Amino acid sequence: MSEKIRRIAHLDMDAFYASVELLRYPQLKGLPVVIGGGRRPVDAALTDGQSELPLHRIALDAFPRLKDYTGRGVITTATYAARQFGVGSALGLMKAAKLCPQAILLPVDFAEYRKYSRAFKAIILEIAPLMEDRGVDEVYIDFTDVPGGQREGGRVLARLIQKAIFDQTGLTCSVGVAPNKLLAKMASEFNKPKGISIVHEEDLADKIWPLACRKINGIGPKADEKLQGLGIQTIGQLAQQELGWLIDHFGQKTGAWMFDAAHGRDTRPVVLESEPVSISRETTFDRDLHAVRDKAELGAIFTRLCQQVADDLQRKGYAGKTIGIKLRYSDFKGVTRDQTLERHIADAKTIRHTAGLCLKRVPLTQRLRLLGVRVGSLVKTDTTGALDPNAAATPLSSAQRAADATGIPDQLF
DNA sequence: TCTGGGGTCCTAGGACCC
DNA sequence: TCTGGGGTCCTAGGACCC
């Protein structure tokens, strides 16, 4: 009998947002380009006086530069030419402007990226039907039973998929193929861009153990710092630790997971479909707002967020019963409050009312920089529409009455 | 002139029930 | 006259990911 070896691929699009922008504006190739901000439409400025020109003919002078930007925001992604100046993801735009003032600044065009995202995923699905969506620019693919999926450890199929995506979209990607998702994810980073990396079980010591623990998907800055404090830098060092010792330091669940990860073990399946748990909208204001002084502006934003969440729910066919708010103060500290209703709802009015009650339970003396609205505990609504259009909020809980009595000023919402 | 937006999962305490 | 032990739901916060 033919023994099939489990082969899982992780496919990661190369510099996805920037590559999509370069398809539109090939004249920017090789230049430092930064994508972010995303607040002001830039195409008006772009086409100003040049509205007859196709996008690829727009003169470089017409593109906005980082140095001319005023306002908040961070870089979502930067081209390699821009990264040479030390600017990259998550850097504040104003700080980035100091490092690379001449960089071209493009707004985030998520609708466009989503179009390409759907396109490359459709191409993959024609070749390999078992695909797990991991966001706009990443997927896992189960190669195990796909024709050619076992050849050269998966390299042949990876090459085929890369070629199909490039031929049909002009975009490049990197692929890692390994016995499981954990290793495939690490492998896809080995040869970027346009890379293919094959990892077998027996490659663990050579290819995985020398890597920093941070390369494990799920070990973030906090866990990494703690590990370093314990003298553990590499995955190999992590693998040397006793299971019990890891559990003592990180808890049962995380400790056991780390132990398995360090030994390259991961049994998670490739998941084809999944239901959302929550749907939310949030926004950072152009300037910090005060609950009393900027009440009208804040109230309008709040109502709009609730409306957007309601629209999202209805468009996607969900209703939820846990309504929550999130806010961030001017000092960047955040709080959340939520309240669970008796019934699932999806209408803006109930969301607005319940979220308003949540907002009353939070101190609002300090200025705010962000406000968000979330609906969780989702259920699918039937095809005819809303589950319970006239659902009302439940009465205040005792905890909320207590909060109301703490002397927090009346919140006007 | 720091620090986006949209998610998931985990933990931990308290309420409440059996 | 000391103090059970589950189980589930709710809430708040935090780590992490794309």
Side-chain angles (χ1 to χ4, degrees), chain A residues 21 24-25 34 36 38-48 55 58 62-65 69 104-109:
Chain A
E21 295 294 349
R24 263 200 291 207
Y25 308 117
V34 151
R39 222 160 251 295
R40 299 113 39 92
V42 88
D43 280 33
L46 275 181
T47 51
D48 186 27
L55 294 182
I58 293 172
F63 285 86
R65 305 286 161 153
Y69 182 79
I104 285 158
L105 175 66
L106 297 176
V108 181
D109 184 352

Side-chain angles (χ1 to χ4, degrees), chain A residues 1-7 143-150:
Chain A
M1 50 190 214
S2 72
E3 258 182 60
K4 285 242 174 95
I5 298 169
R6 188 163 186 254
R7 296 306 288 168
F143 273 17
T144 310
D145 295 312
V146 180
Q150 299 278 340

Side-chain angles (χ1 to χ4, degrees), chain A residues 197-389:
Chain A
S197 295
I198 307 298
V199 169
H200 298 286
E201 219 152 315
E202 57 270 25
D203 297 327
L204 193 66
D206 279 358
K207 294 186 178 171
I208 304 297
W209 282 355
L211 303 176
C213 297
R214 190 71 173 76
K215 296 289 180 188
I216 293 173
N217 188 253
I219 293 184
K222 298 287 179 184
D224 191 48
E225 197 186 330
K226 187 166 169 184
L227 283 166
Q228 298 213 28
L230 293 163
I232 297 167
Q233 321 275 345
T234 68
I235 300 174
Q237 289 167 342
L238 187 59
Q240 285 173 16
Q241 309 308 315
E242 304 263 2
L243 172 61
W245 185 87
L246 285 170
I247 289 173
D248 285 347
H249 283 88
F250 291 93
Q252 176 64 52
K253 191 141 188 162
T254 305
W257 169 77
M258 275 185 182
F259 184 80
D260 282 341
H263 290 87
R265 291 191 281 261
D266 172 23
T267 58
R268 291 172 302 162
V270 170
V271 177
L272 275 53
E273 304 273 358
S274 65
E275 291 292 337
V277 173
S278 69
I279 288 175
S280 67
R281 288 284 185 140
E282 66 185 55
T283 188
T284 296
F285 314 132
D286 292 324
R287 59 183 181 93
D288 293 349
L289 298 179
H290 191 276
V292 176
R293 191 138 26 95
D294 303 305
K295 181 193 150 207
E297 195 175 349
L298 211 42
I301 293 169
F302 192 32
T303 300
R304 178 168 49 85
L305 289 169
C306 293
Q307 185 64 56
Q308 286 174 333
V309 172
D311 291 347
D312 293 343
L313 284 165
Q314 288 165 30
R315 182 165 32 82
K316 295 175 180 175
Y318 292 94
K321 65 173 189 158
T322 303
I323 317 302
I325 59 154
K326 161 178 163 182
L327 44 88
R328 188 127 72 196
Y329 297 103
S330 47
D331 65 1
F332 213 71
K333 291 202 172 81
V335 294
T336 63
R337 291 291 181 273
D338 59 48
Q339 180 176 345
T340 301
L341 304 175
E342 281 173 351
R343 296 191 292 277
H344 292 84
I345 57 92
D347 67 290
K349 210 166 173 175
T350 309
I351 294 170
R352 178 65 174 78
H353 176 250
T354 313
L357 295 177
C358 291
L359 201 54
K360 286 189 177 179
R361 292 154 50 204
V362 128
L364 289 174
T365 46
Q366 205 187 149
R367 285 222 257 238
L368 304 175
R369 69 153 22 230
L370 170 148
L371 182 60
V373 174
R374 180 177 46 87
V375 174
S377 312
L378 301 183
V379 291
K380 261 199 151 111
T381 50
D382 56 43
T383 47
T384 61
L387 228 164
D388 220 343

Side-chain angles (χ1 to χ4, degrees), chain A residues 35-204:
Chain A
I35 299 167
R39 222 160 251 295
R40 299 113 39 92
V42 88
D43 280 33
L46 275 181
T47 51
D48 186 27
Q50 306 190 45
S51 52
E52 303 307 309
L53 289 179
L55 294 182
H56 71 276
R57 298 273 314 276
I58 293 172
L60 288 179
D61 297 350
F63 285 86
R65 305 286 161 153
L66 200 42
K67 64 174 160 54
D68 299 321
Y69 182 79
T70 56
R72 299 188 129 137
V74 293
I75 292 177
T76 299
T77 190
T79 60
Y80 287 100
R83 286 178 210 184
Q84 309 230 295
F85 294 87
V87 311
S89 296
L91 185 68
L93 287 173
M94 288 302 165
K95 277 187 176 176
K98 282 185 172 170
L99 294 166
C100 190
Q102 75 277 21
I104 285 158
L105 175 66
L106 297 176
V108 181
D109 184 352
F110 207 71
E112 185 76 359
Y113 312 146
R114 229 184 334 252
K115 241 169 60 188
Y116 279 91
S117 181
R118 277 194 295 266
F120 89 77
K121 287 168 191 170
I123 293 163
I124 294 170
L125 280 172
E126 278 182 23
I127 298 169
L130 303 184
M131 184 190 80
E132 176 176 334
D133 209 314
R134 294 303 300 186
V136 273
D137 66 343
E138 278 184 35
V139 295
Y140 288 105
I141 313 160
D142 194 330
F143 273 17
T144 310
D145 295 312
V146 180
Q150 299 278 340
R151 289 178 57 200
E152 296 178 31
R155 186 180 299 277
V156 174
L157 187 55
R159 220 183 272 136
L160 178 74
I161 290 173
Q162 273 183 334
K163 184 173 178 345
I165 290 174
F166 182 74
D167 289 349
Q168 294 177 56
T169 69
L171 295 168
T172 69
C173 61
S174 295
V175 186
V177 195
N180 58 49
K181 295 208 285 192
L182 175 85
L183 296 175
K185 168 87 179 167
M186 291 190 267
S188 67
E189 267 196 60
F190 288 173
N191 270 319
K192 270 188 152 307
K194 302 186 206 176
I196 294 177
S197 295
I198 307 298
V199 169
H200 298 286
E201 219 152 315
E202 57 270 25
D203 297 327
L204 193 66

